[in-house]
Amino acid sequence: DGISNGRGFPNYLGVMAVNPEQDRIWIPAKKDNLFRGLQRDGKPLVFDHTVRSIALEIDVLGNKEIEANRVDFDNHDFATSAAFSSVGNMVYATTNGSQALIAIDAYNPNTTAAFNTHGEGAISIVTNDIGDKLYVHNQLSRSIAVFNTTLEGDVKFETKWSVVGKEILPENVLAGKRTFNNTFKSNLSREGYMSCASCHIDGSHDGRIWDLSNLGEGLRNTIDLRGKEGMKHGTLH
């Protein structure tokens, strides 16, 4: 575990991107650091080394991950979707709660740039055939953000479209969903790493056993929050 990267297993695999030649696939995901904990390696879980955001490149013909090209998105929560540019030289990825659109050089994955998605809960991303537009669906903002792009990977926000005419969720429920997923605000998450959804996606669970010994809890399964009605069944952590 370092300043800008960490150990862990991929989880929450997002919407994958296939390059034009169809011999490479990029998969956005989160990374769960199950190597870390007082009972596992003697080190406590900390805000930047519990869950992280990553993208993986798969060699289709070789049927394996190209581990040397794994990209660790520092200071972001889990990545949700990816899309290739029209000519395949760029890969674009979105993150859920840190409101980030990340551009990756497909031929030099260590080269990345991050932009604001101009909305919350980015869940999907597509590029047009010409290669000059990029569209990000921010589901919790009920909007689609439109970006101008170039073949060199430059990204510039253009406009935002509303996709919901009449909201069916009560105002407090939608606000709760946004808070549950948000890592952009400093009072909710340190440096954009972790939200409630990082372990409890859609209120469910990530299927992991965490070493929470430094919190006085020991080894603990992530529990499903659905049907728990807030803290009615006891406090969390």
Side-chain angles (χ1 to χ4, degrees):
D1 299 334
I3 294 176
S4 60
N5 65 289
R7 298 169 291 173
F9 294 103
N11 197 2
Y12 287 2
L13 305 186
V15 181
M16 66 182 183
V18 182
N19 70 346
E21 293 80 15
Q22 299 187 354
D23 60 357
R24 292 287 190 272
I25 294 174
W26 278 89
I27 303 176
K30 77 160 177 161
K31 182 165 55 176
D32 295 333
N33 196 345
L34 302 183
F35 299 103
R36 193 175 180 112
L38 296 184
Q39 295 189 51
R40 287 175 170 164
D41 71 348
K43 298 177 181 179
L45 287 180
V46 289
F47 72 95
D48 56 346
H49 287 302
T50 300
V51 295
R52 297 182 67 90
S53 180
I54 58 170
L56 321 169
E57 186 179 17
I58 305 297
D59 176 358
V60 175
L61 300 179
N63 195 30
K64 62 182 179 180
E65 179 192 350
I66 305 174
E67 294 189 24
N69 287 348
R70 182 178 291 193
V71 180
D72 194 314
F73 302 137
D74 198 25
N75 300 334
H76 294 290
D77 73 323
F78 63 91
T80 53
S81 62
F84 266 95
S85 63
S86 59
V87 296
N89 66 318
M90 300 296 300
V91 182
Y92 300 101
T94 58
T95 65
N96 180 63
S98 57
Q99 303 178 16
L101 164 62
I102 300 173
I104 309 166
D105 185 335
Y107 301 111
N108 183 18
N110 290 323
T111 303
T112 64
F115 308 88
N116 193 301
T117 60
H118 292 269
E120 296 184 68
I123 193 66
S124 59
I125 182 173
V126 295
T127 57
N128 66 351
D129 292 337
I130 301 176
D132 62 352
K133 297 289 183 183
L134 186 64
Y135 305 92
V136 175
H137 180 199
N138 296 303
Q139 63 166 344
L140 295 180
S141 296
R142 309 306 201 229
S143 65
I144 291 177
V146 183
F147 298 85
N148 292 318
T149 60
T150 66
L151 292 178
E152 293 76 24
D154 295 329
V155 177
K156 184 177 181 180
F157 175 71
E158 178 183 302
T159 187
K160 186 163 57 175
W161 302 333
S162 174
V163 294
V164 173
K166 181 179 180 181
E167 179 60 56
I168 63 173
L169 290 181
E171 183 178 349
N172 65 324
V173 174
L174 182 56
K177 288 175 72 70
R178 288 171 172 165
T179 299
F180 193 84
N181 286 271
N182 194 296
T183 69
F184 191 72
K185 298 178 180 179
S186 60
N187 63 332
L188 293 175
S189 174
R190 289 187 64 181
E191 299 184 12
Y193 283 104
M194 194 185 315
S195 69
C196 306
S198 294
C199 293
H200 302 276
I201 190 169
D202 293 330
S204 183
H205 63 88
D206 59 11
R208 299 307 200 194
I209 300 175
W210 295 96
D211 184 352
L212 303 177
S213 300
N214 61 298
L215 302 177
E217 300 182 37
L219 297 176
R220 181 170 177 179
N221 295 337
T222 305
I223 64 172
D224 194 320
L225 301 182
R226 293 172 296 181
K228 297 295 192 298
E229 195 176 346
M231 299 296 101
K232 184 176 180 181
H233 292 250
T235 56
L236 298 175
H237 310 308

